[in-house]
Amino acid sequence: MATRVSPAAEDREQEGDIVERCRGFMCPPVTDINVLQGSKEEMRTRMEMLIMETQAEFCRALQEVDGGTFKVDRWDRKEGGGGISCVMQDGKVFEKAGVNVSVVFGHLTEEAAKQMRSRGKVLKGKDGKLPFCAMGVSSVIHPKNPHIPTVHFNYRYFEIEEEDGAKQWWFGGGTDLTPVYVNKEDAFQFHNTLKEACDKHHSQYYPDFKKWCDRYFYIRHRGETRGIGGIFFDDLDSPSQEEAFSFVKSCAGTVVPCYLPIVYKHLNDSFTDEEKDWQQVRRGRYVEFNLVYDRGVKFGLATPGSRIESILMSLPLTARWEYMHEPAKGSLEAEMLEVLRNPKEWV
Amino acid sequence: MATRVSPAAEDREQEGDIVERCRGFMCPPVTDINVLQGSKEEMRTRMEMLIMETQAEFCRALQEVDGGTFKVDRWDRKEGGGGISCVMQDGKVFEKAGVNVSVVFGHLTEEAAKQMRSRGKVLKGKDGKLPFCAMGVSSVIHPKNPHIPTVHFNYRYFEIEEEDGAKQWWFGGGTDLTPVYVNKEDAFQFHNTLKEACDKHHSQYYPDFKKWCDRYFYIRHRGETRGIGGIFFDDLDSPSQEEAFSFVKSCAGTVVPCYLPIVYKHLNDSFTDEEKDWQQVRRGRYVEFNLVYDRGVKFGLATPGSRIESILMSLPLTARWEYMHEPAKGSLEAEMLEVLRNPKEWV
C-alpha cells in the first residue's frame, strides 16, 4: 500500500458534551446516556455516538428534501442491546427510506464464531464463551423518480473479548449507488466524493475498496453487479484503532455530500411509464441480491431474536419480475446493463 | 404405514401412439420423438410424456379461463437436455402464469452428489462420475384477483447410473395453495382432491405428505407458512417403480381439478384496493420464501448454465414490502396470518 496521508482537521471528532450531542439524535441512544457519559473515551461509546449522529444527519437531510417525516421505532433485543429504525414510506420523493442503527451485545453463537474464524480470526473464548458487542448504522433509500438512484450505506464496529480480557476489534462498511440509468456526472460526483474521503487516509483505500465493492455487490446468477458500486471494506483493524475510526468517521461524514446533490439535481426530472417500469425491474434485481447473496441479510435472517422488519427495511416498497425482460439494443436501458456487466472506473 | 390401496382404473397409463400423443403438447418434447418411440417402455420416456401432457393440459385449462395465450419458449442446455417454458404474463385473469418442463442429463457435479449423499443416498460412481437424468414439470400461477389463490405444483423424476450399470431412481413433487384470504370451502376442495388421489395409493400418503408440505413451505424468519399447504414429498422409491409412477401420475392428474374450480368460482369476485394491497404484501413473502429457502431455486441459481428466467418464473410480476405491516385485530387479513402461523387440517 502507498503512503498514508494524515486525516484532515475537519475529520477530528466532534467535541462537546454527550448529553448535548444526544439532544440532536432521532431518539435517545440504545445505551443509557449515563453509561455513555461514564465511558466516553471508549471506542464503543465513540462509535455509538457516531452512528447516532450519522443517522440523524442523514434523516434530516432526507426529510428536508422530501417534506415528510421519519417514523422512529426503538426496539430492544432480549439477548442484549437494541436499535432505532427510522423509516419514511411512500413520501413525496422517497418510496421507501430506511435508516437503521443497532447496538447489540451478548455472547457469540457457535455459528457466528465459526464464520469469523473462517475469515481468519483467531478467537480464544473463556469456557467456549466469547462476549461481543456489534454496532452499526445502515441505510437503503429507494426514491420514486427513476432518475434518482437508490443509495445504500453501512458503517459498523465489532468488538470481541477474549479469554485473557484482551479485545479484538474491527470496522467494516461502505457506500454504494444503484442508479436505474447511467449518468456519468452523478457517478463521477459520487465516486469522487468517496475517493476524496479515502485519499485523506490512505491512497490505496479508494482503489482497493472500490474493487471490493464491485466484487461484493454481484448478482452471480445474472452476471451483473447490483449498481455502479462505491466502496466496501471489512475486517479493518489497521493501522491503529484511532486511525481506523477516523477513516470510518470520514466515510460516515460523506453520506450526505455523496447523495443529496444527486437527489436535488433530479428532483424535478420528468419520467415515462417505461422508465418507471425499468426501475421496477431493477428493483427486482435488488431484491434478488439482498435475499440470495447479502451476507448481512442472511446472517440477520438466521439469527434468533433478530428484528426482521429492520433487516428487510432494505427491500423496496414495490418490485417487478418480467419474464425474459430484455432492453432494446442501443437503448438507455441496454446501456445501463452494459455498465452492470462490465464495472467501470468513474474517477 | 397403513394398507396400500390399488390404483383405480382411471389412473392407468394413457394408451396410444407416441407421435399421436406428442401432437397435443405445447411444442415438441425435449427428447427427439424417434428416441422416445424407441424407448417407450423406459421410465424416463414415460415420465417425459407425462410431464409434457401435464404441461399441455394445465396450460390449455388456464388459457380457456383467461382468454390469453401462453408464450412457449424452448431452450437447450449446453451440457445436455433442455426445457420448455410456457408463460402468460399480464393476462386478463393471471398476472403471471408459468408452466415449465425440463429434461436434463449429464454427469452429477460433486456438489449435487454431496447433497444427495447427505440425504442418505449411497451413490457409487465409475471413476467418480455419475451419469444422471432429471426431469420435471413445475408451475406457479399468480392471479390478479386477490380472491383467487396462487397455486404451485412440481412433479419430478431422477435417475442415476451407478458403476455397475444399475440405476437408482426416485420421484418427488407436490401441489400447494397460497391464498390471500382464508376460504374454508376452497381449502377443503383443494386438500380433499389431493387426499382422494393419495388415498387410492396409500392411506398414509396424504397425512404424511401434508405434514411434509407444511414443514417445507415455511418462512422461518417470519414464523409463518407460505400458504395453506397441500402435499409435498421427495425421494419416493417405493413400493416399486411402477407404483411410485402410478402415484405421481395420479397427482399430476389432479392439478386441473384441484385448482380450476377455485379459479372459476372467484373469477368475478369484486375486490378493494386494500385487498389488492394485502395480496401484494403476501407476494412479498412468497418472494422471500422462494429466494431464501426453496431448495429447488437455490440449487438452480447455483448451477452453472441453468436457465435463470425459467427458475425465477415462479416470482410474481409485482410484489410489495411495507415496513411493519400488521393487519388490524379481528380483520380477515389477521385471520389469514393466524392460519399461516398455525397450520390447520382442512379435511
Side-chain angles (χ1 to χ4, degrees), chain B residues 185-243:
Chain B
E185 255 184 49
D186 294 352
F188 174 81
Q189 118 84 22
F190 185 81
H191 276 268
N192 199 50
T193 307
L194 286 170
K195 184 178 183 303
E196 282 176 359
C198 288
D199 285 352
K200 281 188 280 182
H201 299 271
H202 200 300
S203 62
Q204 206 50 40
Y205 277 176
Y206 174 77
D208 284 354
F209 298 159
K210 193 270 184 195
K211 253 187 237 120
W212 196 338
C213 188
D214 286 337
R215 234 168 28 232
Y216 183 83
F217 294 102
Y218 182 60
I219 310 173
R220 209 163 53 230
H221 61 265
R222 300 276 187 187
E224 56 189 51
T225 55
R226 186 176 75 174
I228 61 157
I231 57 166
F232 185 81
F233 60 95
D234 210 348
D235 298 328
L236 186 73
D237 55 6
S238 63
S240 69
Q241 196 181 42
E242 197 54 44
E243 296 189 4

Coordinates of all heavy atoms in Angstrom, one line a residue, chain B residues 185-243:
Chain B
E185 N -64.1 -23.4 2.2 CA -64.6 -24.3 1.1 C -63.5 -24.6 0.1 O -63.3 -25.7 -0.3 CB -65.7 -23.5 0.4 CG -67.1 -24.0 0.7 CD -68.1 -23.2 -0.2 OE1 -67.8 -23.1 -1.4 OE2 -69.0 -22.7 0.4
D186 N -62.8 -23.5 -0.3 CA -61.7 -23.7 -1.3 C -60.6 -24.6 -0.7 O -60.1 -25.5 -1.4 CB -61.0 -22.4 -1.6 CG -61.9 -21.4 -2.3 OD1 -63.0 -21.8 -2.7 OD2 -61.4 -20.2 -2.5
A187 N -60.3 -24.4 0.6 CA -59.2 -25.2 1.2 C -59.6 -26.6 1.3 O -58.8 -27.5 1.0 CB -58.9 -24.6 2.6
F188 N -60.9 -26.9 1.6 CA -61.4 -28.3 1.7 C -61.3 -28.9 0.3 O -60.8 -30.0 0.1 CB -62.8 -28.3 2.2 CG -63.4 -29.7 2.2 CD1 -63.1 -30.6 3.2 CD2 -64.2 -30.1 1.1 CE1 -63.6 -31.9 3.1 CE2 -64.7 -31.4 1.1 CZ -64.4 -32.3 2.1
Q189 N -61.9 -28.2 -0.7 CA -61.9 -28.8 -2.1 C -60.5 -29.1 -2.6 O -60.3 -30.2 -3.1 CB -62.7 -27.8 -3.0 CG -61.9 -27.2 -4.2 CD -61.9 -28.1 -5.4 OE1 -62.8 -29.0 -5.5 NE2 -60.9 -28.0 -6.3
F190 N -59.5 -28.2 -2.3 CA -58.2 -28.4 -2.7 C -57.5 -29.6 -2.0 O -57.0 -30.5 -2.7 CB -57.4 -27.1 -2.5 CG -56.0 -27.2 -3.0 CD1 -55.7 -26.9 -4.3 CD2 -54.9 -27.4 -2.1 CE1 -54.4 -26.9 -4.8 CE2 -53.6 -27.5 -2.6 CZ -53.3 -27.2 -3.9
H191 N -57.6 -29.6 -0.7 CA -57.0 -30.7 0.0 C -57.7 -32.0 -0.2 O -57.0 -33.0 -0.2 CB -56.9 -30.3 1.5 CG -55.7 -29.5 1.9 ND1 -54.6 -30.0 2.4 CD2 -55.6 -28.1 1.9 CE1 -53.7 -29.0 2.6 NE2 -54.3 -27.9 2.3
N192 N -59.0 -31.9 -0.3 CA -59.7 -33.2 -0.5 C -59.5 -33.8 -1.8 O -59.4 -35.1 -1.9 CB -61.2 -32.9 -0.3 CG -62.0 -34.2 0.0 OD1 -61.6 -34.9 0.9 ND2 -63.1 -34.4 -0.8
T193 N -59.3 -33.0 -2.8 CA -59.0 -33.6 -4.2 C -57.6 -34.3 -4.1 O -57.4 -35.4 -4.6 CB -58.9 -32.4 -5.2 OG1 -60.2 -31.7 -5.1 CG2 -58.7 -33.0 -6.6
L194 N -56.6 -33.7 -3.4 CA -55.3 -34.3 -3.2 C -55.4 -35.6 -2.4 O -54.8 -36.6 -2.7 CB -54.4 -33.3 -2.5 CG -53.9 -32.2 -3.4 CD1 -53.1 -31.1 -2.6 CD2 -53.0 -32.7 -4.5
K195 N -56.2 -35.5 -1.3 CA -56.4 -36.6 -0.4 C -57.0 -37.8 -1.2 O -56.5 -39.0 -1.0 CB -57.3 -36.3 0.8 CG -57.4 -37.4 1.8 CD -58.2 -37.0 3.0 CE -58.3 -38.0 4.1 NZ -58.8 -39.3 3.6
E196 N -58.0 -37.6 -2.0 CA -58.6 -38.7 -2.7 C -57.6 -39.3 -3.7 O -57.6 -40.5 -3.8 CB -59.8 -38.1 -3.5 CG -61.0 -37.9 -2.6 CD -62.2 -37.3 -3.4 OE1 -62.1 -37.0 -4.6 OE2 -63.3 -37.1 -2.7
A197 N -56.8 -38.5 -4.3 CA -55.8 -39.0 -5.2 C -54.7 -39.8 -4.4 O -54.3 -40.9 -4.9 CB -55.1 -37.9 -6.0
C198 N -54.4 -39.4 -3.3 CA -53.4 -40.1 -2.4 C -53.9 -41.4 -1.9 O -53.3 -42.4 -2.0 CB -53.0 -39.2 -1.3 SG -51.9 -37.8 -1.7
D199 N -55.2 -41.3 -1.4 CA -55.8 -42.5 -0.8 C -55.9 -43.7 -1.7 O -55.9 -44.8 -1.3 CB -57.2 -42.1 -0.3 CG -57.1 -41.3 1.0 OD1 -56.0 -41.1 1.5 OD2 -58.2 -40.8 1.4
K200 N -56.0 -43.4 -3.0 CA -56.1 -44.5 -4.0 C -54.8 -45.3 -4.0 O -54.7 -46.5 -4.4 CB -56.3 -44.0 -5.4 CG -57.7 -43.6 -5.6 CD -58.0 -43.2 -7.1 CE -57.6 -41.8 -7.3 NZ -57.8 -41.4 -8.7
H201 N -53.7 -44.7 -3.5 CA -52.4 -45.4 -3.5 C -51.9 -45.9 -2.1 O -51.4 -47.0 -2.0 CB -51.3 -44.5 -4.1 CG -51.7 -44.1 -5.5 ND1 -51.3 -44.9 -6.6 CD2 -52.5 -43.2 -6.1 CE1 -51.8 -44.4 -7.7 NE2 -52.5 -43.3 -7.4
H202 N -52.1 -45.0 -1.1 CA -51.7 -45.4 0.2 C -52.4 -44.5 1.2 O -52.4 -43.3 1.1 CB -50.2 -45.3 0.4 CG -49.7 -46.2 1.5 ND1 -50.2 -46.0 2.8 CD2 -48.9 -47.2 1.6 CE1 -49.6 -46.9 3.6 NE2 -48.8 -47.7 2.9
S203 N -53.0 -45.1 2.2 CA -53.8 -44.3 3.1 C -52.9 -43.4 4.0 O -53.4 -42.4 4.6 CB -54.7 -45.2 4.0 OG -53.8 -46.0 4.8
Q204 N -51.6 -43.6 4.0 CA -50.7 -42.8 4.8 C -50.1 -41.6 4.0 O -49.5 -40.7 4.6 CB -49.6 -43.7 5.4 CG -49.0 -43.1 6.7 CD -50.0 -42.7 7.7 OE1 -51.1 -43.4 7.9 NE2 -49.8 -41.6 8.4
Y205 N -50.3 -41.7 2.6 CA -49.7 -40.7 1.8 C -50.2 -39.3 2.1 O -49.4 -38.4 2.3 CB -49.9 -41.0 0.3 CG -49.0 -42.0 -0.3 CD1 -49.1 -42.4 -1.6 CD2 -47.9 -42.5 0.4 CE1 -48.2 -43.3 -2.2 CE2 -47.0 -43.4 -0.1 CZ -47.2 -43.8 -1.5 OH -46.3 -44.7 -2.0
Y206 N -51.5 -39.1 2.1 CA -52.0 -37.7 2.4 C -51.5 -37.2 3.7 O -50.9 -36.1 3.7 CB -53.5 -37.6 2.2 CG -54.0 -36.2 2.6 CD1 -53.8 -35.1 1.7 CD2 -54.5 -36.0 3.8 CE1 -54.2 -33.9 2.0 CE2 -54.9 -34.7 4.2 CZ -54.7 -33.6 3.3 OH -55.1 -32.3 3.6
P207 N -51.8 -37.9 4.8 CA -51.4 -37.3 6.1 C -49.9 -37.0 6.2 O -49.4 -36.0 6.7 CB -51.8 -38.3 7.2 CG -52.3 -39.5 6.4 CD -52.6 -39.1 5.0
D208 N -49.0 -37.9 5.7 CA -47.6 -37.8 5.7 C -47.1 -36.6 4.8 O -46.3 -35.8 5.2 CB -46.9 -39.0 5.2 CG -46.9 -40.1 6.3 OD1 -47.4 -39.8 7.4 OD2 -46.4 -41.3 6.0
F209 N -47.7 -36.6 3.6 CA -47.2 -35.6 2.7 C -47.8 -34.2 2.9 O -47.2 -33.2 2.5 CB -47.4 -36.0 1.2 CG -46.7 -37.3 0.9 CD1 -47.2 -38.2 -0.2 CD2 -45.6 -37.8 1.6 CE1 -46.5 -39.4 -0.5 CE2 -45.0 -39.0 1.3 CZ -45.4 -39.8 0.3
K210 N -48.9 -34.2 3.6 CA -49.5 -32.9 4.0 C -48.6 -32.2 5.1 O -48.2 -31.1 5.0 CB -50.9 -33.1 4.6 CG -51.8 -31.9 4.8 CD -51.6 -31.3 6.1 CE -52.6 -30.1 6.3 NZ -52.2 -29.2 7.4
K211 N -48.1 -33.0 6.0 CA -47.2 -32.6 7.1 C -45.9 -32.1 6.5 O -45.4 -31.1 6.8 CB -47.0 -33.7 8.1 CG -47.7 -33.5 9.4 CD -47.2 -34.5 10.4 CE -48.4 -35.3 11.0 NZ -48.4 -36.7 10.7
W212 N -45.4 -32.9 5.5 CA -44.1 -32.6 4.9 C -44.2 -31.2 4.2 O -43.3 -30.4 4.2 CB -43.8 -33.7 3.9 CG -42.4 -33.8 3.4 CD1 -41.5 -32.8 3.4 CD2 -41.7 -34.9 2.9 NE1 -40.3 -33.2 2.9 CE2 -40.4 -34.5 2.6 CE3 -42.1 -36.3 2.7 CZ2 -39.5 -35.4 2.0 CZ3 -41.2 -37.1 2.1 CH2 -39.9 -36.7 1.8
C213 N -45.4 -31.0 3.6 CA -45.6 -29.7 2.8 C -45.6 -28.5 3.8 O -44.9 -27.5 3.5 CB -47.0 -29.9 2.1 SG -47.3 -28.5 1.0
D214 N -46.3 -28.7 4.9 CA -46.3 -27.6 5.9 C -44.9 -27.3 6.4 O -44.6 -26.1 6.7 CB -47.2 -27.9 7.1 CG -48.7 -27.8 6.7 OD1 -49.1 -27.1 5.8 OD2 -49.5 -28.5 7.4
R215 N -44.1 -28.3 6.6 CA -42.8 -28.2 7.1 C -41.9 -27.5 6.0 O -41.0 -26.7 6.3 CB -42.2 -29.6 7.4 CG -41.7 -29.7 8.8 CD -41.4 -31.1 9.3 NE -41.1 -32.0 8.2 CZ -41.7 -33.2 8.0 NH1 -42.7 -33.6 8.9 NH2 -41.3 -34.0 7.1
Y216 N -42.1 -27.9 4.8 CA -41.2 -27.4 3.7 C -41.4 -26.0 3.4 O -40.5 -25.1 3.3 CB -41.3 -28.3 2.5 CG -40.4 -27.8 1.4 CD1 -39.0 -28.3 1.4 CD2 -40.8 -27.0 0.4 CE1 -38.1 -27.9 0.4 CE2 -39.9 -26.5 -0.6 CZ -38.6 -27.0 -0.6 OH -37.7 -26.6 -1.6
F217 N -42.7 -25.6 3.2 CA -43.0 -24.2 2.8 C -43.2 -23.3 4.0 O -44.2 -22.7 4.2 CB -44.3 -24.2 1.9 CG -44.0 -24.9 0.6 CD1 -44.5 -26.2 0.4 CD2 -43.3 -24.3 -0.4 CE1 -44.2 -26.9 -0.8 CE2 -43.0 -24.9 -1.6 CZ -43.5 -26.2 -1.8
Y218 N -42.1 -23.2 4.7 CA -42.1 -22.5 6.0 C -41.2 -21.3 5.9 O -40.0 -21.5 5.6 CB -41.7 -23.4 7.1 CG -41.8 -22.8 8.5 CD1 -43.0 -22.3 9.0 CD2 -40.6 -22.7 9.3 CE1 -43.0 -21.7 10.3 CE2 -40.7 -22.2 10.6 CZ -41.9 -21.6 11.0 OH -41.9 -21.0 12.3
I219 N -41.7 -20.1 6.1 CA -40.8 -18.9 6.1 C -40.3 -18.7 7.5 O -40.9 -18.1 8.4 CB -41.6 -17.7 5.6 CG1 -42.3 -18.0 4.3 CG2 -40.6 -16.5 5.4 CD1 -43.2 -16.9 3.9
R220 N -39.1 -19.3 7.8 CA -38.6 -19.4 9.2 C -38.5 -18.1 9.8 O -38.9 -17.9 11.0 CB -37.3 -20.1 9.2 CG -37.0 -20.9 10.4 CD -35.8 -21.9 10.3 NE -34.7 -21.3 9.7 CZ -34.0 -21.8 8.7 NH1 -34.4 -22.9 8.1 NH2 -32.9 -21.2 8.2
H221 N -37.9 -17.1 9.1 CA -37.7 -15.8 9.8 C -39.0 -15.1 10.1 O -39.1 -14.1 10.9 CB -36.8 -14.9 9.0 CG -37.2 -14.6 7.6 ND1 -36.9 -15.3 6.5 CD2 -38.0 -13.6 7.1 CE1 -37.4 -14.8 5.4 NE2 -38.1 -13.7 5.7
R222 N -40.1 -15.5 9.4 CA -41.4 -14.8 9.7 C -42.3 -15.7 10.7 O -43.3 -15.2 11.2 CB -42.3 -14.7 8.4 CG -41.6 -13.8 7.4 CD -41.9 -12.3 7.6 NE -41.4 -11.5 6.5 CZ -41.5 -10.2 6.5 NH1 -41.9 -9.6 7.6 NH2 -41.0 -9.5 5.5
G223 N -41.9 -16.9 10.8 CA -42.6 -17.8 11.7 C -44.0 -18.2 11.1 O -45.0 -18.4 11.8
E224 N -44.1 -18.2 9.7 CA -45.3 -18.5 9.1 C -45.1 -19.3 7.8 O -44.0 -19.3 7.2 CB -46.0 -17.2 8.7 CG -45.2 -16.2 7.8 CD -45.8 -14.8 7.6 OE1 -46.2 -14.2 8.6 OE2 -45.9 -14.4 6.5
T225 N -46.1 -20.1 7.5 CA -46.0 -20.9 6.2 C -46.3 -20.0 5.0 O -46.8 -18.9 5.2 CB -47.0 -22.1 6.2 OG1 -48.3 -21.6 6.4 CG2 -46.7 -23.1 7.3
R226 N -45.9 -20.5 3.8 CA -46.1 -19.6 2.6 C -47.6 -19.6 2.3 O -48.1 -18.6 1.9 CB -45.3 -20.2 1.5 CG -45.3 -19.4 0.3 CD -44.4 -19.9 -0.8 NE -45.0 -21.1 -1.5 CZ -44.4 -21.7 -2.5 NH1 -43.3 -21.3 -3.0 NH2 -45.0 -22.8 -3.1
G227 N -48.2 -20.7 2.5 CA -49.7 -20.8 2.1 C -50.4 -21.8 3.0 O -49.9 -22.1 4.1
I228 N -51.5 -22.4 2.5 CA -52.2 -23.4 3.3 C -51.8 -24.8 3.0 O -52.5 -25.7 3.3 CB -53.7 -23.1 3.2 CG1 -54.2 -23.4 1.8 CG2 -54.1 -21.8 3.7 CD1 -55.7 -23.7 1.7
G229 N -50.7 -24.9 2.3 CA -50.1 -26.3 2.0 C -50.9 -27.1 1.0 O -51.5 -26.5 0.1
G230 N -50.7 -28.4 1.1 CA -51.2 -29.3 0.1 C -50.4 -30.6 0.4 O -50.4 -31.0 1.5
I231 N -49.7 -31.1 -0.6 CA -48.8 -32.2 -0.4 C -47.4 -32.0 -0.9 O -47.3 -31.2 -1.8 CB -49.4 -33.6 -1.0 CG1 -49.5 -33.4 -2.5 CG2 -50.6 -34.0 -0.3 CD1 -49.7 -34.8 -3.2
F232 N -46.4 -32.6 -0.3 CA -45.1 -32.5 -0.8 C -44.3 -33.8 -0.4 O -44.5 -34.3 0.7 CB -44.4 -31.3 -0.1 CG -43.0 -31.0 -0.6 CD1 -42.8 -30.3 -1.8 CD2 -41.9 -31.5 0.1 CE1 -41.5 -30.1 -2.3 CE2 -40.6 -31.2 -0.4 CZ -40.4 -30.5 -1.6
F233 N -43.5 -34.3 -1.3 CA -42.8 -35.5 -1.0 C -41.5 -35.5 -1.8 O -41.4 -34.9 -2.9 CB -43.6 -36.8 -1.2 CG -44.0 -36.9 -2.6 CD1 -43.3 -37.7 -3.6 CD2 -45.2 -36.3 -3.1 CE1 -43.7 -37.8 -4.9 CE2 -45.7 -36.5 -4.4 CZ -44.9 -37.2 -5.3
D234 N -40.5 -36.3 -1.3 CA -39.3 -36.4 -2.1 C -38.7 -37.8 -1.9 O -39.1 -38.5 -1.0 CB -38.3 -35.3 -1.6 CG -37.3 -34.9 -2.8 OD1 -37.3 -35.6 -3.8 OD2 -36.6 -33.9 -2.6
D235 N -37.7 -38.2 -2.8 CA -37.0 -39.4 -2.6 C -38.0 -40.6 -2.6 O -37.7 -41.6 -1.9 CB -36.2 -39.4 -1.3 CG -35.1 -38.4 -1.4 OD1 -34.6 -38.1 -2.5 OD2 -34.7 -37.8 -0.4
L236 N -39.1 -40.5 -3.3 CA -40.1 -41.6 -3.3 C -39.6 -42.8 -4.2 O -39.6 -42.6 -5.4 CB -41.5 -41.2 -3.7 CG -42.6 -42.2 -3.6 CD1 -43.0 -42.4 -2.1 CD2 -43.8 -41.8 -4.4
D237 N -39.2 -43.9 -3.6 CA -38.7 -45.0 -4.4 C -39.3 -46.4 -4.0 O -38.7 -47.4 -4.1 CB -37.2 -45.1 -4.3 CG -36.7 -45.2 -2.9 OD1 -37.5 -45.3 -2.0 OD2 -35.5 -45.1 -2.6
S238 N -40.5 -46.3 -3.4 CA -41.2 -47.5 -3.0 C -42.7 -47.4 -3.3 O -43.2 -46.2 -3.5 CB -41.0 -47.7 -1.5 OG -41.6 -46.6 -0.8
P239 N -43.5 -48.4 -3.3 CA -43.1 -49.8 -3.1 C -42.4 -50.4 -4.4 O -41.7 -51.4 -4.3 CB -44.4 -50.5 -2.8 CG -45.5 -49.6 -3.4 CD -45.0 -48.3 -3.4
S240 N -42.7 -49.8 -5.6 CA -42.0 -50.3 -6.8 C -42.0 -49.1 -7.7 O -42.7 -48.1 -7.5 CB -42.8 -51.4 -7.4 OG -44.0 -50.9 -7.9
Q241 N -41.2 -49.1 -8.7 CA -41.1 -48.0 -9.7 C -42.4 -47.8 -10.3 O -42.9 -46.7 -10.5 CB -40.0 -48.3 -10.7 CG -39.6 -47.0 -11.5 CD -38.6 -47.3 -12.5 OE1 -38.6 -48.2 -13.3 NE2 -37.6 -46.3 -12.6
E242 N -43.1 -48.9 -10.7 CA -44.4 -48.9 -11.4 C -45.4 -48.2 -10.5 O -46.2 -47.3 -10.9 CB -44.8 -50.3 -11.7 CG -45.9 -50.4 -12.7 CD -45.6 -49.7 -14.0 OE1 -44.5 -49.8 -14.5 OE2 -46.5 -49.0 -14.5
E243 N -45.4 -48.5 -9.2 CA -46.5 -47.9 -8.3 C -46.1 -46.5 -7.9 O -47.0 -45.7 -7.7 CB -46.7 -48.9 -7.1 CG -47.2 -50.2 -7.7 CD -47.7 -51.1 -6.6 OE1 -47.7 -50.8 -5.4 OE2 -48.1 -52.3 -6.9

